[in-house]
Amino acid sequence: MANLFSSSIGRKLLMSITGLFLIVFLLVHLTLNSFLLLDGVLGFEEGQMFNAGAHFMATNPFIKIMEPMLAIGFLVHIMYSIGLTIQNIKARGAARYASGSKTDDVEWSSKNMFVLGIFVVSFLVVHLANFWVKMKITGDPLLHQEASFPFMGAEAHGENAYALVNTAFQNIAIVIIYVIGCIALSFHLSHGFWSAFQTIGWNNTVWLNRLQTISKVVAWFIGLGFCVIAIAQYLFF
Amino acid sequence: MKGKTLNLKLKVWRQKSATAQGKFETYEVSNISTEGSFLEMMDILNEQIISNGGDPVAFDHDCREGICGMCSLYINGHAHGPDEDITTCQLHMRKFTDGDTITIEPWRSAGFPVVKDLIVDRSAFDKILQAGGFVSVNTGGIPDGNAIPIPKEDADEAMDSASCIGCGACVASCKNGSAMLFVSAKVSQLALLPQGRVEAARRAKSMVAKMDELGFGNCTNTGACEVECPKNISITNIARLNREFLSAKLKD
Amino acid sequence: MATLDSKIPAGDIAQKWENYKAHQKLVNPANKRKLDVIVVGSGLAGGAAAASLGELGFNVKCFCYQDSPRRAHSIAAQGGINAAKNYPNDGDSVHRLFYDTVKGGDYRAREANVHRLAEVSNSIIDQCVAQGVPFAREYGGLLDNRSFGGAQVSRTFYAKGQTGQQLLLGAYGALNRQIAKGTVKMFNRNEMMDVVVIDGKARGIITRNLVTGEIESHFGHAVIIATGGYGNVYFLSTNAMGSNVSAAWKTYKKGAFFGNPCYVQIHPTCIPVHGEFQSKLTLMSESLRNDGRVWAPKKKEDAEAIRAGKKRPEDLSDDDRDFYLERRYPAFGNLVPRDVASRAAKERCDAGYGVEAGEAVYLDFKYAIQRLGKDVVEARYGNLFQMYEKITDDNPYQTPMKIYPAIHYTMGGIWVDYDLQTTIPGLFAAGEANFSDHGANRLGASALMQGLADGYFVLPYTVQNYLADELHTPRIDPAKSADFKKAADEVKGNINKLLSIKGKQSVDSFHKRLGKIMWDKVGMGRTKEGLTEAISEIQKLRVEFWKDVRIPGDANEMNVELEKANRVADFIELGELMARDALHREESCGGHFREEFQTEEGEAKRQDDKFLYVGAWEFKGIDQEPVLHKEALEFVYCELKQRNYK
Ligand SMILES: Cc1cc2nc3c(=O)[nH]c(=O)nc-3n(C[C@H](O)[C@H](O)[C@H](O)COP(=O)(O)OP(=O)(O)OC[C@H]3O[C@@H](n4cnc5c(N)ncnc54)[C@H](O)[C@@H]3O)c2cc1C
Ligand code: HEM
Ligand code: SF4
Ligand code: FES
C-alpha cells in the first residue's frame, strides 16, 4: 500500500472510487426524488411519499453516518480532480498544435471532465442552497406546514419537505439550472462510469464495449431522471 | 502507371535548436505523385530547399516501412497523419488532394522536447523501459524453449501488445500527455507470458513510478492514443496495467 | 601482414567450439570491471553483445545513430529465425542446418564458423523465449515453425511478420537491464567516425554527437563493430535510410581487411520501384513464398496488354500463367534460395514477360486462399498484406502482388577470424557487418540467427579470451593521448573539408547516381566490361563529389545533410572496391553472378579450382590499388557440389 496515492494510478483510483460512490448516492437520491411523482400512481396524497422518504433520510442512523462520508467523497473527488487536471496541463506542455486535434472517435465528454465537473458543482451549490441548507440549517416556513404521512406502518408527522421542493420547482429559473446541471452530469457520467471501471482495472476486450454502452445508459438514466422529475413538478404539480 | 500529381502548400514548423524560438514556414511543392510516400514528398521539399540555398527540414525517419518507430510528425491534426493504423513513413500522398495545405508539426508534449525542426527527444521512453521493461534473465543456462507450454491465445495477445514500436504517437495525441498506452503495452506483453509473470508486480510498480517521475500526465481514459496508435495497441492494455499496478501495490 | 590466419581450433568440426570454450582464457569477476569494451551498433549483434558483456561485468559503452537502440534495422526483419531444434520431427539436426547453410552459401563460407552457428542456434531460441519474445505457438502451447527458402525442413521460428522486431526488443530489454545496472552506458544519436589504433591494437573510437555536432573520443580495451550491412551503396535497398558502411569502412582504412565485398544478396520479393523520387524499397517477407505462387504471363502479348493496362492479371487463366519457379525447380518450387529466385525473375523480365513497367512478376495468393481460406492467409500474413496495400493501393487478397528483386543483404563485410576478430587486434566485427557465415549467399532466416549467435554466444567468449591479456593495459585518457587527438583532428578536418566544398549538387543526387551505376553494373548480372566501366565511373563520381557537393549548415549542430555526406563519401569508395572484387572473381557463385560463367540452363557456375577462397582486401591509400589476400577454404564435411534445387 506504500505511497499508493502518490502515484498517478493511485490518485486515479481515488477518483474512480469516489466517483462510483457518488453514483450510488445519486441513485439513492433519484429514488427518493421519484417519490415526488409517484403519490398519484400508488394512491397516496400529493407529497406523502416524498415526505415519508425525507423523514426516513433525516432520521435513519445509517444515512446520518453516510452524510459526512458523502461530503468527504465530494471533497476528495473535487480536490483530486483539480490536482490531476493541473498536472495534466503541465504534462501536455506549453505548445499547442496549430492544426488542432482531429482524432475521431474520442468521446467529447472524456476531454471535458473538469469543465463538466464545474457545471455539476455550480448546480450543486444552487441545489444545496435551495434545499439542503434550508432543511438542515436555516429552516424555512414552508417546512413547517402541516405534513402527515404513513411511516413504518403508522401515521407520522414531520417536516413538509415536499412543500419546499414543490415550491422551488415552480420557479422556472431553478428548473432551468437544474436541467443544465443534470445534463452536464449525464455527460460527466457517460464517460465517468466506464472510465471508473477501466481505472480499477476491471476491463478487457470483451467488456470494453459493453461497459461503454452501460455507461451511457446509466448516465442518461440518472441525468434525465432528475430532469424529468423537475420538469414534471414544474408542469403538473 | 496509375496515379496523379498534386500541387501542395506546406506549413512546416521550423526551430533551429531546442532552445531557439520556432515558427511556421510556408513552402510550395508541385508535381508530387500520389503514388509517392509522404516522406518522399519531404525529400523533394528538402532537395528544393537545398537547391535554393536554404537549410533543409530536419525530421526523424529510418526504416521507412513502419516498424522502427523513428518517424513522427503531426500532420493536419493527426499524429502520423490522416490514415489509419500506419506510421508517417507509410502515409502515401494519395490521401491528399490537389491544392491542399498541409500543416506539419513536431510531437508536442512536455515529455518530448523539440530537438530541431520536427525532431523531438523521446529518450524518456527508453528510461521507462530501463526501469523494468524486461525479464531479468542472463544470457545462457536457459531451459528449453518448449519447457513451458504457453496457450496460443496468450502468446497471440502478448504479441499484439508487443507490437508497440515506441513511436510516441500516443503521448503526442493525448490531451494529458500521458504515456500509459506505451507503458501498458510492455507491462501487458510480459504479464501475459509465464516468463514475464514472475516479476510482473515489481515491473508494473517501477515502470509507473518512472513514468510519473518523468512528468507524463495522468490517463483519463480518453482513448485518443488508441485511435492514433499506428499499431492498434488497445486501451484494454491500460486496464491490465491498472490491475497489475493496483494489485501489486495492495500486496505491499 | 600477408597470410590470413583464421585461427580455426583443431579437432573434429563438432568439437571445435567446445574445445575452444574449454581452453580459452578467462577474466575473473573482479577484474572485468577494469576492462572497457566499446560496442558500435545496437542491433541484434551489437545489442546482444553489449548486454551479455555487461552481464559478465565488463564496462561497456554502446553506440547507435538512431534516437534509441530499439530502432536498429534488425527491427525490420519480418520472416523468422532458424534453429536446428527439430521440433516438427522432420529430420532436422545441427549437421543439416550446417550443411544447408554451407550449400546455400554456394560453398564460399568457412565450415568451422558455420558449424558453430548451427550449434548455438538452439540456445538462441531458448534465450529469446526466456526474455519474453512472443514466438508463434500451436494450440498445444508449443512453438510453431514455418519453412523458408533453401531448406526441406521447417526450422524457422517466427513472431507474426515481426520476428526481427521481437528479437530485437528482447535484446533491447536485456540491454536496458544492463543500462539500469550501470554496466552499459548507451550513447544514442552518436555516429562512429573513426577507430583509434594505438601500437597496432584497437583502443577506441571517435564519434560525432549528432545532436550537438561535437566530436568525442572514447577509450576501450576492445572495440566491436556491429553496424549492419552496406546495401545502401545501391541507394535503393530494403535497408533503413541511415544504414551505412562508414564504421566498417573506417576500420578498413585503418588496416582491417574487407572480405568478399562483392557478395550482396538480391531479395526476390520486394515491391517494385514506382518512380524517380523513390527513397527505399520494401521487402515482402520470404515467408510469403510458403503459400504464394510466383508467376509471369506465359505469352508476351498478355504481358504487353497488362503493361498497357488493357488486361488484369486476374483475367489470365492458369494455362496462360507461367509458374516458372515450379517449372524450373520442381523439387524446391517456390522455395528455391533467394539468388536463384531473383535471377529467375530477372530472366523472365529481361525476356519481355515482366509486368508493371516491365520489371515485376506476380506472387499470387489466390491458390492459398482457395486451399486454406482467407482467414488462415490473413492470420499468417495479414500485416504484410496491409503493408503492401498501403504502399501500392492494391488489395493482395483480390489481385496478385507485384514483386521484383531488390538489394537486401550484404554477405561481404569486415574479414574476421574464428574469434570474430579482424586483422587489427582488439577490433571485432559481428552481425551483418562481418563477412563470416553466409558465403556467397545467405539463406532466409539465417541473419537473425547469426546476429544473435555472435552477440549472445560467441563474442562473450572470444572477447574475453582477448581481454585476458589486456588486464595490465591501463585505461587511456583520450584527452591526454596524442593518438586520440590526431584521430579526432582528422575527423574534424574531414568534416570541414566537406563543408567547405559548397558546391551545387545535393548529397542525395550523388547517392542516386552511385546507386544507378551499382545496380546496372555491379548488380544482379555482372560482366567484365560492365565492372571495368563501373570502376572508372565511380572514380569520376568520387572526384566530382569532393568538388561539387553542397552541404548546408554547420558542423556544430544537428546537420542531417552532413551525416549523409559522410556516409555517401564512404559508399563511393566502397562501391569501387565492390566492383574490383566482382571483377577479379571470375566465376559465378551465390549472389555474385558473372554472366560469362553460367551453365547452359543459366545457373551460376563456380570455378572451384581458382576461387575457392575468401577475398580479403587491404587498403593501401585512396588512389592506390588495394591488395588482395586470400584465405583458402577447405571443405571437409560438406562435399563440394554444383548446387541443385531441381
Ligand atoms: C527488410 C528486412 C527483412 C529481413 N528479414 C530477415 C529475416 O526474416 N530473417 C533473417 O534472418 N534476416 C532478415 N533480415 C536480415 C537481418 O535483419 C539483418 O541482417 C540483421 O538484423 C543485421 O543485424 P545487425 O545487428 O548486424 O545490424 P543492424 O540491426 O542493422 O544494426 C546496426 C546498428 O549499428 C548502428 N550503426 C550503424 N552505423 C553506425 C555508425 N556509423 N555509428 C554508430 N552506430 C552505427 C545502428 O544504429 C544500429 O544500432 C532482414 C533484413 C531486412 C532489411
Ligand atoms: C455527483 C457528482 C459526481 C459524480 C457521480 C462523478 C463521477 C465521476 C466518475 C465515476 C469519474 C470517473 C473516474 C475515473 O475515471 O476513474 C469521474 C471523473 C472525474 N470527475 Fe467526477 N463526478 C462528480 C462530480 C464531479 C465534480 C464536482 C468534479 C469537479 C469539479 C468532477 C471532476 C471530475 C474529473 C476532472 C474527472 C476526470 C478525472 C480523471 O479521469 O482523472 N466530478 N467523476
Ligand atoms: S502504444 Fe502505439 S502510439 Fe504509443 S508508442 Fe506504442 S506504437 Fe506508438
Ligand atoms: S521510419 Fe521507421 S517507422 Fe517510420
Side-chain angles (χ1 to χ4, degrees):
Chain A
M1 279 292 280
N3 51 39
L4 170 61
F5 299 117
S6 64
S7 69
S8 57
I9 299 179
R11 285 188 293 257
K12 283 261 0 202
L13 178 68
L14 276 183
M15 286 302 288
S16 150
I17 291 175
T18 51
L20 289 175
F21 173 63
L22 294 177
I23 290 176
V24 173
F25 152 73
L26 286 175
L27 286 172
V28 174
H29 196 319
L30 182 62
T31 315
L32 179 63
N33 281 17
S34 68
F35 291 177
L36 287 170
L37 305 185
L38 293 181
D39 293 311
V41 185
L42 298 176
F44 291 101
E45 276 173 40
E46 186 172 312
Q48 270 191 333
M49 273 186 75
F50 184 75
N51 278 335
H55 186 73
F56 173 77
M57 290 290 172
T59 52
N60 186 304
F62 177 72
I63 301 289
K64 276 230 154 74
I65 301 170
M66 287 318 282
E67 238 176 21
M69 296 282 286
L70 187 64
I72 293 170
F74 262 113
L75 270 180
V76 169
H77 194 82
I78 294 173
M79 297 306 287
Y80 271 85
S81 83
I82 295 172
L84 288 170
T85 305
I86 291 174
Q87 273 188 338
N88 288 350
I89 291 171
K90 269 205 206 124
R92 182 63 209 284
R96 287 285 169 277
Y97 291 116
S99 55
S101 169
K102 303 215 170 62
T103 307
D104 317 313
D105 303 328
V106 171
E107 289 169 284
W108 174 84
S109 43
S110 74
K111 298 209 268 183
N112 296 287
M113 288 298 272
F114 191 69
V115 178
L116 290 167
I118 288 176
F119 270 93
V120 175
V121 170
S122 37
F123 150 72
L124 219 80
V125 171
V126 175
H127 182 82
L128 289 178
N130 271 325
F131 305 121
W132 188 80
V133 173
K134 288 182 184 165
M135 285 187 207
K136 304 274 163 165
I137 302 170
T138 56
D140 192 275
L142 290 170
L143 288 169
H144 304 309
Q145 284 180 7
E146 175 58 28
S148 64
F149 38 82
F151 193 73
M152 306 230 158
E155 177 86 358
H157 295 270
E159 285 189 328
N160 196 340
Y162 180 81
L164 181 71
V165 174
N166 182 258
T167 315
F169 281 140
Q170 301 312 312
N171 182 341
I172 182 76
I174 289 181
V175 174
I176 288 174
I177 291 175
Y178 203 90
V179 168
I180 292 176
C182 289
I183 289 177
L185 182 67
S186 291
F187 276 111
H188 194 82
L189 294 185
S190 66
H191 174 69
F193 184 79
W194 79 262
S195 173
F197 287 101
Q198 169 89 356
T199 301
I200 296 172
W202 196 52
N203 207 349
N204 56 38
T205 29
V206 179
W207 273 94
L208 180 62
N209 286 331
R210 291 185 193 167
L211 274 174
Q212 285 178 336
T213 311
I214 296 172
S215 186
K216 291 208 174 69
V217 173
V218 170
W220 290 99
F221 175 76
I222 294 179
L224 292 182
F226 280 111
C227 285
V228 166
I229 293 166
I231 294 169
Q233 278 279 319
Y234 175 71
L235 292 178
F236 306 117
F237 293 84
Chain B
M1 281 250 119
K2 55 187 177 183
K4 304 186 295 268
T5 60
L6 312 173
N7 297 328
L8 303 161
K9 198 187 237 177
L10 308 174
K11 266 181 71 188
V12 185
W13 182 259
R14 302 303 310 263
Q15 181 172 336
K16 198 117 181 71
S17 68
T19 46
Q21 189 79 29
K23 64 172 191 321
F24 280 101
E25 209 70 76
T26 307
Y27 303 93
E28 275 172 34
V29 287
S30 47
N31 286 322
I32 301 296
S33 163
T34 50
E35 292 299 288
S37 76
F38 192 85
L39 293 186
E40 284 163 354
M41 186 273 292
M42 294 297 285
D43 293 341
I44 293 173
L45 168 68
N46 276 344
E47 284 284 306
Q48 189 176 308
I49 295 178
I50 294 169
S51 69
N52 293 336
D55 200 15
V57 181
F59 59 91
D60 263 332
H61 65 110
D62 201 30
C63 73
R64 293 213 178 179
E65 51 188 71
I67 193 74
C68 73
M70 186 100 175
C71 62
S72 49
L73 303 194
Y74 196 88
I75 303 162
N76 282 354
H78 294 277
H80 291 304
D83 193 1
E84 268 158 45
D85 303 337
I86 53 153
T87 55
T88 292
C89 60
Q90 294 174 293
L91 176 64
H92 274 66
M93 294 312 291
R94 63 180 80 91
K95 285 279 153 190
F96 298 91
T97 39
D98 197 32
D100 275 359
T101 298
I102 307 177
T103 308
I104 308 168
E105 304 171 70
W107 283 173
R108 297 254 184 236
S109 169
F112 293 162
V114 173
V115 174
K116 179 176 182 181
D117 293 343
L118 302 169
I119 295 181
V120 298
D121 177 359
R122 286 171 288 197
S123 52
F125 271 12
D126 283 337
K127 293 191 187 119
I128 295 175
L129 292 181
Q130 283 157 18
F134 45 75
V135 178
S136 300
V137 288
N138 280 356
T139 305
I142 303 277
D144 188 84
N146 262 345
I148 312 177
I150 302 175
K152 183 171 164 42
E153 297 75 21
D154 290 355
D156 288 349
E157 208 179 340
M159 178 63 226
D160 287 342
S161 304
S163 54
C164 163
I165 57 175
C167 63
C170 43
V171 174
S173 41
C174 177
K175 80 171 195 32
N176 307 317
S178 162
M180 285 286 274
L181 194 64
F182 168 78
V183 175
S184 69
K186 185 47 81 185
V187 166
S188 287
Q189 176 207 339
L190 296 178
L192 281 161
L193 299 169
Q195 289 81 5
R197 196 63 247 169
V198 181
E199 49 186 337
R202 191 170 73 129
R203 177 181 308 114
K205 283 186 290 188
S206 49
M207 285 178 73
V208 168
K210 185 51 99 181
M211 168 186 91
D212 290 352
E213 178 196 320
L214 292 167
F216 288 100
N218 308 283
C219 173
T220 55
N221 304 320
T222 302
C225 52
E226 176 186 64
V227 180
E228 297 295 355
C229 170
K231 296 293 151 185
N232 247 324
I233 304 291
S234 157
I235 55 169
T236 51
N237 286 297
I238 297 183
R240 188 180 291 102
L241 168 61
N242 290 336
R243 198 151 71 224
E244 292 289 333
F245 177 83
L246 292 171
S247 59
K249 277 283 185 190
L250 292 175
K251 277 188 210 130
D252 274 357
Chain C
M1 209 183 281
T3 50
L4 292 165
D5 182 2
S6 51
K7 296 204 200 125
I8 299 170
D12 180 74
I13 194 141
Q15 251 62 62
K16 287 180 194 293
W17 182 231
E18 287 307 320
N19 284 346
Y20 181 97
K21 290 195 287 185
H23 300 295
Q24 68 160 116
K25 285 169 266 180
L26 297 174
V27 181
N28 90 19
N31 283 332
K32 287 190 181 118
R33 258 174 282 135
K34 298 182 194 149
L35 293 163
D36 300 348
V37 184
I38 285 177
V39 181
V40 189
S42 64
L44 289 182
S52 303
L53 289 163
E55 285 163 12
L56 289 175
F58 293 105
N59 231 329
V60 181
K61 285 181 169 183
C62 183
F63 297 81
C64 73
Y65 69 77
Q66 294 95 343
D67 70 338
S68 163
R70 67 179 296 153
R71 310 209 197 280
H73 198 51
S74 295
I75 200 106
Q78 302 166 347
I81 177 167
N82 287 335
K85 284 279 193 190
N86 193 29
Y87 285 153
N89 198 25
D90 55 0
D92 203 5
S93 64
V94 167
H95 184 80
R96 192 173 289 273
L97 174 55
F98 156 69
Y99 177 81
D100 284 349
T101 309
V102 171
K103 176 186 172 198
D106 219 354
Y107 306 95
R108 289 293 175 267
R110 197 187 283 149
E111 275 189 337
N113 283 50
V114 179
H115 201 277
R116 174 177 63 192
L117 176 66
E119 283 169 53
V120 303
S121 67
N122 291 341
S123 306
I124 297 175
I125 302 302
D126 303 339
Q127 186 68 34
C128 296
V129 168
Q131 289 170 343
V133 169
F135 281 123
R137 293 194 176 250
E138 314 248 23
Y139 279 104
L142 302 183
L143 293 159
D144 191 17
N145 288 115
R146 55 166 60 142
S147 28
F148 251 54
Q152 285 169 315
V153 294
S154 281
R155 61 160 75 100
T156 305
F157 294 79
Y158 65 101
K160 264 196 172 167
Q162 290 134 269
T163 317
Q165 177 194 32
Q166 293 312 315
L167 298 177
L168 183 64
L169 293 182
Y172 166 66
L175 185 63
N176 276 337
R177 180 165 161 251
Q178 295 309 310
I179 294 173
K181 280 197 175 159
T183 57
V184 177
K185 192 159 190 294
M186 188 69 217
F187 294 82
N188 301 328
R189 292 202 201 265
N190 259 276
E191 182 142 346
M192 167 176 157
M193 303 301 289
D194 210 348
V195 59
V196 181
V197 180
I198 301 178
D199 298 333
K201 288 183 173 175
R203 288 295 181 213
I205 60 170
I206 307 293
T207 59
R208 180 166 182 272
N209 180 324
L210 300 181
V211 177
T212 62
E214 234 162 296
I215 302 298
E216 290 158 5
S217 303
H218 300 272
F219 165 80
H221 289 93
V223 176
I224 298 169
I225 303 291
T227 51
Y230 51 82
N232 271 354
V233 66
Y234 292 83
F235 186 71
L236 287 181
S237 80
T238 62
N239 284 6
M241 301 303 286
S243 294
N244 66 86
V245 75
S246 291
W249 195 250
K250 292 296 160 39
T251 67
Y252 165 69
K253 289 172 94 171
K254 282 277 160 79
F257 292 2
F258 210 103
N260 298 333
C262 79
Y263 290 164
V264 297
Q265 176 162 84
I266 313 225
H267 196 292
T269 55
C270 300
I271 301 179
V273 177
H274 60 70
E276 265 303 294
F277 46 83
Q278 181 126 8
S279 59
K280 80 153 274 162
L281 295 171
T282 304
L283 176 82
M284 285 288 111
S285 166
E286 175 156 316
S287 61
L288 292 169
R289 285 199 275 143
N290 263 309
D291 289 312
R293 293 179 72 190
V294 178
W295 62 273
K298 209 175 250 173
K299 301 193 205 112
K300 265 195 192 144
E301 311 88 84
D302 284 339
E304 278 155 18
I306 291 175
R307 286 202 292 269
K310 288 187 198 126
K311 259 193 183 165
R312 288 176 309 151
E314 302 92 291
D315 300 339
L316 267 55
S317 71
D318 281 8
D319 289 342
D320 288 329
R321 300 173 173 201
D322 175 14
F323 300 92
Y324 57 86
L325 289 177
E326 295 167 28
R327 170 168 60 78
R328 287 177 63 179
Y329 310 99
F332 280 68
N334 291 296
L335 283 175
V336 289
R338 293 172 176 177
D339 54 335
V340 177
S342 291
R343 274 198 297 278
K346 180 171 162 18
E347 187 276 329
R348 280 294 82 192
C349 293
D350 289 352
Y353 296 93
V355 295
E356 187 88 341
E359 297 211 320
V361 293
Y362 291 119
L363 177 60
D364 206 334
F365 287 86
K366 183 175 96 179
Y367 309 95
I369 292 172
Q370 279 165 3
R371 185 164 46 91
L372 304 164
K374 191 180 161 204
D375 291 346
V376 176
V377 171
E378 185 170 353
R380 285 190 193 162
Y381 311 111
N383 64 326
L384 296 170
F385 280 28
Q386 184 230 22
M387 199 159 155
Y388 181 85
E389 186 170 1
K390 290 290 176 191
I391 293 174
T392 61
D393 213 16
D394 279 343
N395 179 348
Y397 294 102
Q398 285 157 12
T399 183
M401 280 184 178
K402 284 180 284 232
I403 51 160
Y404 197 66
I407 298 291
H408 175 57
Y409 182 87
T410 51
M411 282 75 68
I414 312 172
W415 185 89
V416 289
D417 60 18
Y418 189 75
D419 286 7
L420 303 185
Q421 187 161 226
T422 68
T423 46
I424 302 176
L427 182 71
F428 295 77
E432 197 174 335
N434 74 23
F435 90 107
S436 71
D437 297 352
H438 308 293
N441 175 55
R442 173 177 71 79
L443 290 183
S446 286
L448 299 180
M449 171 171 72
Q450 183 224 333
L452 288 180
D454 290 358
Y456 286 134
F457 296 111
V458 179
L459 286 174
Y461 294 92
T462 62
V463 169
Q464 186 165 187
N465 186 49
Y466 171 80
L467 288 175
D469 292 334
E470 290 295 317
L471 256 178
H472 303 293
T473 309
R475 288 193 169 113
I476 299 174
D477 178 359
K480 295 191 188 123
S481 152
D483 297 284
F484 269 98
K485 194 165 174 316
K486 182 163 161 270
D489 286 345
E490 260 171 43
V491 168
K492 286 179 197 158
N494 219 26
I495 288 175
N496 290 338
K497 196 163 143 200
L498 278 170
L499 286 170
S500 65
I501 299 170
K502 298 200 188 312
K504 284 192 288 297
Q505 303 176 57
S506 72
V507 179
D508 276 357
S509 67
F510 282 104
H511 198 172
K512 282 184 189 172
R513 281 164 63 194
L514 173 67
K516 182 150 173 40
I517 301 173
M518 295 300 292
W519 180 245
D520 290 347
K521 295 177 176 159
V522 198
M524 257 195 288
R526 303 159 174 186
T527 62
K528 182 171 184 180
E529 202 190 356
L531 290 165
T532 318
E533 283 167 15
I535 294 175
S536 76
E537 284 172 33
I538 296 171
Q539 284 170 340
K540 280 190 206 121
L541 190 71
R542 171 158 57 85
V543 174
E544 194 181 332
F545 176 86
W546 284 96
K547 266 199 200 125
D548 199 31
V549 70
R550 164 178 287 186
I551 307 165
D554 284 325
N556 302 322
E557 59 176 3
M558 178 174 257
N559 188 336
V560 178
E561 289 299 306
L562 177 61
E563 289 165 30
K564 287 200 280 189
N566 279 321
R567 295 172 190 157
V568 172
D570 294 335
F571 277 137
I572 295 177
E573 293 176 19
L574 165 75
E576 188 184 328
L577 185 70
M578 289 170 69
R580 271 184 203 287
D581 188 41
L583 181 64
H584 113 276
R585 191 168 279 278
E586 295 190 319
E587 67 163 346
S588 294
C589 55
H592 171 62
F593 192 72
R594 282 284 298 266
E595 285 175 10
E596 304 94 319
F597 302 93
Q598 50 181 308
T599 64
E600 270 156 35
E601 293 128 331
E603 305 296 344
K605 202 160 140 197
R606 294 196 318 265
Q607 308 289 312
D608 290 336
D609 49 338
K610 293 195 204 109
F611 291 96
L612 202 57
Y613 63 76
V614 175
W617 297 87
E618 182 185 3
F619 181 72
K620 285 289 179 191
I622 190 73
D623 287 314
Q624 232 84 33
E625 286 206 9
V627 172
L628 176 68
H629 300 262
K630 297 176 184 174
E631 179 202 339
L633 291 170
E634 263 185 282
F635 291 91
V636 181
Y637 300 90
C638 301
E639 190 195 344
L640 272 175
K641 275 198 277 201
Q642 170 79 36
R643 279 197 306 168
N644 181 1
Y645 292 97
K646 286 196 193 284

